[in-house]
Structure formats: C-alpha cells, structure tokens
Amino acid sequence: MTNNHSNHPPVWDMVDAKKKDFFQLSDRVWETPETCYMETQSAAAHRQMLEAQGFRVTENVAGIPTALIGESGEGGPIIAFLGEYDALAGLSQKAGETRHDPLVAGANGHGCGHNLLGSASLLAATAVKDWLQQTGKPGRVRYYGCPAEEGGAAKAFMVRAGAFENVDIAISWHPSNFAGVQRETSLANCRIDFEFTGRSAHAAAVPELGRSALDAVELMSVGVNYMREHMPSECRIHNAILDAGGISPNVVQAYAKVRYVVRSPDLAGLLTLIERVKKVADGAALMTETSVRSTILAGVSNLIVNTPLMDTMQGIWESLGPPTYDDSDIAFAESIRATLTPEDIAASWNQERLEQRDIPLADFILPPHNEVRQMGGSTDVGDVSWVVPTVQAYGPTLAVGTQLHTWQVVAQGQSPLAHKGMAATAKVMAATGLAALQSPELREAAWADLKRRHKGQIYQSPIPEGAEPPIAAMSSK
C-alpha cells in the first residue's frame, strides 16, 4: 500500500513532533510492570506526562487510586481517549531477547502491550489538545487513565460512578499483529468468589463430625460442568481454587474458596448465567451441609461497535497506510517468529479470516467486513461502549503470529517496530477524534447507531450496587 500524506490531518504532524517523549513513557511503564489496581508507578508516570503537557488532572476517579483523567480545552464536544497501563503476572521477560529469558523469574510483564496502549492514547489526546490550543476552536479532549483492565473492570466502576456521562465520543486501541479497525464484539464477563464454610474434624477418628468445604468446591465444579451442556455454546465458564482449605489431609477442610469467571455474548445472558451458577453453589453447599457466600469482584459488559466511527477510522487508516519498517525491524520480527509454532501464526490469520501469507510484519490495512464478529475475550471498554459511542483501532506493534499474553509480546514491548506501530495508531486515533470534533453530523450518526444497537435495552451495570473496586483483595495477593 502506498501512503498518501498530502493534505493530511494536522494532528499527524503534532504526533510526530512529540512521539519520542511518549516512546519514553511507554518504555518507562514497560520497566515497572504492575497488575490489577496496583499500577502506582505507571499511573504516576501518566500523571506526570499529563501535567507536563498542560492537562488539568483529576485523580482517584471512582475511588480508584490508580485511575485518573486529564482534560484540556473549553466548551464544545468532549472527545475521550482511553488508556491502560496494567501488566500481567508471571510474564517477566527481557526486552529484545528472542528466547524466553525472564528479567525476574515469576515477576510481572507487559504481555498484552498496555505500556504501549496507554502511551499512544495519551499521545493522540495530546495531539488533539495541541490542535485545539493552536486553532482556538471550542472543544475538550480527555485522557482516561484506566487501570485493571486485566480482570479488574476499572472502566465498569468508572462508568457506574458517572465518569463518562457527558462524553460525546470515546476512542481506544489495542496492540495487534495488524493495522486496522476493531469490528468485533466481546463477551460480557463477571468474576465471582465463592467461599464455603464447613466444620473441621479429625478425618480418621471422627470424620462424621466434619463438613468439608473442599468437597463443596469440588461438587460445585461437577455441577457447573454438567450445566455446560445446557447453556449457549458461545458462553464460557472457568474457575481457579484460591484456597483449598490447608495442606493437612487428615483435617476436614472447614474453609475453601474458588473464583469463577462467567462469560456470555451479551449482558442479559450474563446476568441469567450468573444466577444459574449461584444456584449450583447453593446446591453444593446443601449437599455438604456447609454454607456459601458469593462476592462479585468485577464485571464487564459486551462491547458495542459503532459503524459511523468504524468507517471514519477505516478511511483514516487507509489514508495513512501501515508503518514503514527497516531491515532491523524485519530481522527482529523474523527472530520472534522463529519462536512461534505454525499454529500460532495460522491463528493470527484465522482470527481475521484472511488467507495466510508468509510475512513477518503487516504491510496492509485490515479490510472491513460486513458482519459483526464475536471475539473470545472480554474487555471493560464494553461498559464505556454502552454509554458512549466507542471505536477502537488495532495497532501493528507485533510480529505476525505473536499471540497476546505471552513472553514474546513482552520481548517486543520496547522495540523500534512497536514504537512505529504505536505512533501510527496514535495518528489514526487523533485524526478520528479531530473528525468527531469537527463534524456534528458524525457525532449524531454515532449516537443514532448506538441507540439502534441497544435494541431497547437499558444499560445495567454487571457490578451490583454497593460493590467496590476490589483494591484490597488485589493488594493482599
């Protein structure tokens, strides 16, 4: 594809003018990988950059210490850029290495590229801010620093707290093998802890006096497994035992705790499935004569796509074209691909339903597709998309075939090829935001499309009233 940058949006030059500072921000966040609500250093780095760029900063959004908002401009429409900066546990890896070599064994790592995600979104927001200041046009740009996307649902808590009530358009992105527009919906998701309490006893002398909480956990697993035959095939349920009741087999376990993740293609289906899982837990408690308590830690809604915004972003991507890579980028990408299986590489193409090509880096823009597809994962961007027209880009920051949540993503996180993909995506997001600022018709069409996709449903947060962000639960791990 040949790039045609004549008459390009002015925000592209503004991205280029400051991109090196934001590469440094991304690298800094990569070096301090922090997980779910614990992103103290990462949030501080974003706050410092917001202040340096002249944004007005609000901290402790929705009562979350690592959530923040930066705003600039006056009057007019409000364009929001969503950033993330949380890492994943157990994915420590040295940058630039083409073999698995952790920096610290068992430590955290940016295996989903959120160091790039937050930095590029803030770069795009800064470019729009600079344009507003240069032109004196009315309008406001906001950067939302959002922690805990990986399992913590921070955006859902922020939506529930009203942080997005007056936003006109929301824009985000995700690191990917390819450049393009995300046109897939996500699964609604809820994390629930089930705590069973029984009675301890000597497992050999007086087993009849014991009531095993671990038995209840195991019976609940059996019940949920039988339930799988009788739920929609697109739904997903997984679990992890957090506390098996101790290490002494000759003591009947009086306490056990299991965490379930329940997923459904839509919010209504999720709420129904949650109640069925709770009934299985109640049944397990009844069979074992134990008691059970459930606590919803986090929940996210399914993602709602927006056709007018997707089409606008598609046109901008096609005008910009993919990044231009040099020989060293290609050589590094080939070295990463040598660590991947043929199945890894095929999966990247299959996910986009494209014919596989033997290329190390994407040299094209993903074509639009007519049908709305379902991706397997979940994201708290979904809750934003229920209350604000939302669009997301895919940014080409990875060698083709790289799968997310792997050490290979971490290894590429500070590379020049990742920086090039990050800058290109920031240009696309900034230009999309500028288009929305300048076009009342686009904003109106986006809101009409969101209303149509609601199909009469009213947004209902998957997080119950009274539930708070599980900051203490995460900090105690």
Side-chain angles (χ1 to χ4, degrees), residues 340-400:
L340 307 175
T341 68
E343 290 78 14
D344 290 330
I345 295 171
S348 292
W349 296 96
N350 291 340
Q351 286 161 6
E352 298 300 331
R353 302 184 190 179
L354 296 174
E355 184 177 348
Q356 184 169 331
R357 294 167 53 197
D358 187 20
I359 56 174
L361 293 166
D363 59 359
F364 64 97
I365 305 301
L366 288 174
H369 48 78
N370 294 325
E371 78 277 19
V372 176
R373 300 170 183 168
Q374 179 77 60
M375 66 177 180
S378 303
T379 173
D380 56 8
V381 177
D383 289 85
V384 180
S385 77
W386 271 83
V387 298
V388 178
T390 302
V391 65
Q392 296 189 91
Y394 283 130
T397 63
L398 300 166
V400 175

Side-chain angles (χ1 to χ4, degrees), residues 292-308:
V292 63
R293 181 170 74 96
S294 64
T295 303
I296 292 180
L297 296 177
V300 302
S301 302
N302 55 297
L303 187 69
I304 298 180
V305 299
N306 193 280
T307 298

Side-chain angles (χ1 to χ4, degrees), residues 135-179:
T135 61
K137 299 285 187 181
R140 282 173 283 173
V141 58
R142 285 185 188 163
Y143 171 75
Y144 285 76
C146 306
E149 189 276 335
E150 299 286 359
K155 294 185 196 67
F157 286 103
M158 294 165 77
V159 168
R160 196 185 67 175
F164 293 89
E165 282 183 356
N166 55 354
V167 173
D168 289 270
I169 300 294
I171 302 168
S172 191
W173 77 290
H174 203 283
S176 174
N177 291 204
F178 303 111

Side-chain angles (χ1 to χ4, degrees), residues 126-445:
T126 300
V128 176
K129 173 196 72 72
D130 290 348
W131 180 86
L132 286 169
Q133 290 178 340
Q134 186 181 93
T135 61
K137 299 285 187 181
R140 282 173 283 173
V141 58
R142 285 185 188 163
Y143 171 75
Y144 285 76
C146 306
E149 189 276 335
E150 299 286 359
K155 294 185 196 67
F157 286 103
M158 294 165 77
V159 168
R160 196 185 67 175
F164 293 89
E165 282 183 356
N166 55 354
V167 173
D168 289 270
I169 300 294
I171 302 168
S172 191
W173 77 290
H174 203 283
S176 174
N177 291 204
F178 303 111
V181 180
Q182 181 176 320
R183 296 176 179 267
E184 295 80 19
T185 62
S186 63
L187 295 170
N189 168 321
C190 188
R191 292 186 175 221
I192 316 172
D193 281 356
F194 293 92
E195 297 176 86
F196 291 89
T197 302
R199 184 193 309 157
S200 62
H202 194 297
V206 284
E208 69 276 9
L209 299 181
R211 299 294 182 267
S212 174
L214 182 57
D215 285 354
V217 167
E218 292 177 328
L219 285 167
M220 181 180 177
S221 179
V222 172
V224 169
N225 284 337
Y226 273 106
M227 194 179 78
R228 295 179 195 278
E229 183 183 356
H230 306 288
M231 68 184 196
S233 58
E234 301 87 357
C235 295
R236 299 287 186 271
I237 303 178
H238 350 280
N239 67 45
I241 297 177
L242 304 185
D243 189 335
I247 60 172
S248 300
N250 60 334
V251 177
V252 174
Q253 296 88 349
Y255 175 84
K257 183 177 182 179
V258 62
R259 178 167 297 169
Y260 271 80
V261 176
V262 183
R263 304 183 198 248
S264 175
D266 57 49
L267 186 55
L270 174 68
L271 298 175
T272 298
L273 197 56
I274 288 170
E275 293 307 310
R276 293 182 65 191
V277 172
K278 286 182 176 180
K279 288 179 181 178
V280 173
D282 290 339
L286 182 63
M287 285 188 286
T288 53
E289 296 185 65
T290 60
S291 61
V292 63
R293 181 170 74 96
S294 64
T295 303
I296 292 180
L297 296 177
V300 302
S301 302
N302 55 297
L303 187 69
I304 298 180
V305 299
N306 193 280
T307 298
L309 294 179
M310 291 189 299
D311 290 348
T312 298
M313 181 176 278
Q314 183 76 32
I316 293 168
W317 257 127
E318 291 175 357
S319 175
L320 176 66
T324 300
Y325 302 106
D326 60 28
D327 291 344
S328 62
D329 297 326
I330 294 170
F332 179 54
E334 290 284 18
S335 296
I336 289 290
R337 279 163 55 87
T339 72
L340 307 175
T341 68
E343 290 78 14
D344 290 330
I345 295 171
S348 292
W349 296 96
N350 291 340
Q351 286 161 6
E352 298 300 331
R353 302 184 190 179
L354 296 174
E355 184 177 348
Q356 184 169 331
R357 294 167 53 197
D358 187 20
I359 56 174
L361 293 166
D363 59 359
F364 64 97
I365 305 301
L366 288 174
H369 48 78
N370 294 325
E371 78 277 19
V372 176
R373 300 170 183 168
Q374 179 77 60
M375 66 177 180
S378 303
T379 173
D380 56 8
V381 177
D383 289 85
V384 180
S385 77
W386 271 83
V387 298
V388 178
T390 302
V391 65
Q392 296 189 91
Y394 283 130
T397 63
L398 300 166
V400 175
T402 308
Q403 298 303 310
L404 297 176
H405 295 202
T406 63
W407 68 261
Q408 287 93 341
V409 176
V410 189
Q412 295 172 76
Q414 290 188 318
S415 65
L417 71 86
H419 290 162
K420 289 172 183 176
M422 170 187 152
T425 311
K427 288 183 177 181
V428 168
M429 289 191 293
T432 303
L434 183 59
L437 268 174
Q438 294 180 305
S439 174
E441 295 80 11
L442 176 57
R443 298 195 301 273
E444 291 170 6

Side-chain angles (χ1 to χ4, degrees), residues 47-87:
R47 183 192 70 243
Q48 290 165 9
M49 181 61 86
L50 283 164
E51 291 170 346
Q53 297 299 328
F55 285 86
R56 304 181 293 271
V57 179
T58 301
E59 297 184 277
N60 203 42
V61 178
I64 302 171
T66 53
L68 51 86
I69 296 174
E71 181 176 289
S72 183
E74 302 292 341
I78 299 175
I79 308 301
F81 292 89
L82 311 182
E84 298 163 13
Y85 31 72
D86 56 326

